Amino acid sequence: MSYVVRSGDTLGAIASRNGTTVQAIMAANPQIKNPNMISVGQQLNLPGGGGGAIPSAPSAPSIPAPSSYTVRSGDTLGAIANRNGTTVNEIMAANPQIRNPNQISPGQKINLPGGSNGGGAPQPQRPPQQQPPTQQQPAPAQQGGSSLGTPPATGPWELPDVGPARRLAAGDFEAAARELQCETAAVRAVAEVESGGRTGFDDNRRPKILFEIHHFKRLTGGRYDRSHPHLSAPYSSPNRRASYKKNQWTVIREAFALDPDAAVKSASWGMFQVMGFNHADVGWSNVRQFVYDMYESEAQHMRAFLGFCRTNNLVRHIRSKNWASFARGYNGPDYASNAYHTKMANAYARYSRG
């Protein structure tokens, strides 16, 4: 049977709903190279009977000549790879000029490896006897694909009141751990410590956030220091700690009224508490779409986490469970004052015991 990916879906969630596993879905869909990168509108083959059966061996595809692609607004290398039946690593190998996989620009021309389909929806390889479905393939969504729509690129905009708040499944943590080549317990430990629990959303279906007044000061040039010292002050200010005890959505909405983009950049978002000002480093072309996607699903939170680990060279520390070095890179040089490294070590020990 087939399945069309919806906004907020993850392979783990699809597998859970259909009585199968992430591994079985990947075996039935050899075009999927990265289990964390699927696109809205993409059609998947589900294993026969939904029970995890592995299909017969795919026929060998013919390898066309490499083609080129022009980056569009909202694109990421992961989304481009997924749409063209290739991988980020293969695109990077075909484009040595790309140094950081999270930094590509609209209008940039890139080479697609041989075997990609030049921008169309990825086509599964099927046994010779099996005919492709007759229905038209939906067009894949660009990066984000939020059910909340697309925020305006410039000018006034609003924070959503509520979002779909889709949760991760166990298989999603396992897939992320495979991508980082670390233990699943290590990924779960970071998620628990950063979000203060086991979910990236609050009871009102909003992403968990923490507003940082010292970053708002930096991003607004200190122009609100006198009029709004509770929103804009140095890191050393007692107002910073006091701010953490307030309702964070009340705080950010007050800052949003002063400077919307600076406000959302000054908060950490979701299950893994990635700062808004890091949006470009973790795969988003603009902070507004980043915010919309944080309302969408924990899969988007995971995507931001994976991007942050790769960009900041933290993969080696989560693999070795060097929690002090990981926390320093993830939470900053003052990590020990909040005992992030100790909390992560304790959470990892608990998860690793099962």
Side-chain angles (χ1 to χ4, degrees), residues 70-84:
T70 301
V71 177
R72 300 190 297 259
S73 177
D75 270 342
T76 65
L77 279 192
I80 294 169
N82 198 44
R83 290 199 300 268
N84 289 281

Side-chain angles (χ1 to χ4, degrees), residues 10-11 22 45 47 60 82 87 110 163 192 215 227 287 304 309 323 326-327:
T10 65
L11 281 191
V22 171
N45 294 321
N82 198 44
T87 67
I110 61 176
E192 178 179 314
H215 285 306
S227 60
V287 73
C309 288
W323 295 115
F326 182 87

Side-chain angles (χ1 to χ4, degrees), residues 112-233:
L112 295 178
S116 62
N117 60 28
Q123 299 296 317
Q125 301 296 323
R126 295 179 175 84
Q129 298 84 359
Q130 186 177 352
Q131 297 298 319
T134 58
Q135 68 266 30
Q136 183 179 1
Q137 295 284 341
Q142 290 190 357
Q143 170 228 309
S146 172
S147 62
L148 299 174
T150 302
T154 59
W157 65 295
E158 296 181 357
L159 281 174
D161 291 323
V162 66
R166 294 187 175 92
R167 301 287 301 277
L168 287 173
D172 297 309
F173 287 98
E174 295 163 3
R178 284 195 300 273
E179 181 171 337
L180 296 177
Q181 297 181 344
C182 70
E183 295 179 45
T184 303
V187 179
R188 283 192 170 276
V190 177
E192 178 179 314
V193 171
E194 291 301 318
S195 63
R198 301 189 182 186
T199 174
F201 297 100
D202 63 18
D203 293 338
N204 294 315
R205 289 168 42 210
R206 300 172 299 190
K208 290 182 177 177
I209 62 169
L210 188 68
F211 186 80
E212 300 282 6
I213 67 174
H214 61 291
H215 285 306
F216 191 69
K217 171 185 172 66
R218 173 177 61 84
L219 293 167
T220 59
R223 64 180 178 271
Y224 297 110
D225 286 4
R226 289 193 173 186
S227 60
H228 296 78
H230 58 295
L231 297 177
S232 179

Side-chain angles (χ1 to χ4, degrees), residues 211-339:
F211 186 80
E212 300 282 6
I213 67 174
H214 61 291
H215 285 306
F216 191 69
K217 171 185 172 66
R218 173 177 61 84
L219 293 167
T220 59
R223 64 180 178 271
Y224 297 110
D225 286 4
R226 289 193 173 186
S227 60
H228 296 78
H230 58 295
L231 297 177
S232 179
Y235 185 84
S236 59
S237 170
N239 287 341
R240 179 177 65 87
R241 291 283 183 182
S243 177
Y244 296 157
K245 299 177 182 179
K246 300 176 182 178
N247 182 299
Q248 292 299 290
W249 282 100
T250 299
V251 173
I252 197 173
R253 287 189 181 279
E254 184 179 359
F256 192 91
L258 300 174
D259 189 322
D261 288 4
V264 296
K265 289 179 181 179
S266 300
S268 53
W269 294 83
M271 176 176 278
F272 293 92
Q273 289 294 283
V274 174
M275 293 295 303
F277 64 73
N278 284 316
H279 66 277
D281 287 340
V282 300
W284 275 263
S285 61
N286 67 81
V287 73
R288 298 180 178 192
Q289 189 64 60
F290 170 84
V291 169
Y292 270 38
D293 288 349
M294 293 300 102
Y295 281 82
E296 186 72 26
S297 68
E298 289 175 347
Q300 297 288 4
H301 302 178
M302 180 72 81
R303 172 185 163 198
F305 165 71
L306 294 173
F308 190 88
C309 288
R310 288 191 295 263
T311 301
N312 293 278
N313 199 24
L314 299 180
V315 176
R316 55 183 174 149
H317 297 316
I318 197 170
R319 287 176 183 170
S320 63
K321 281 87 68 181
N322 183 339
W323 295 115
S325 295
F326 182 87
R328 179 184 295 276
Y330 201 91
N331 302 103
D334 196 29
Y335 71 95
S337 67
N338 291 300

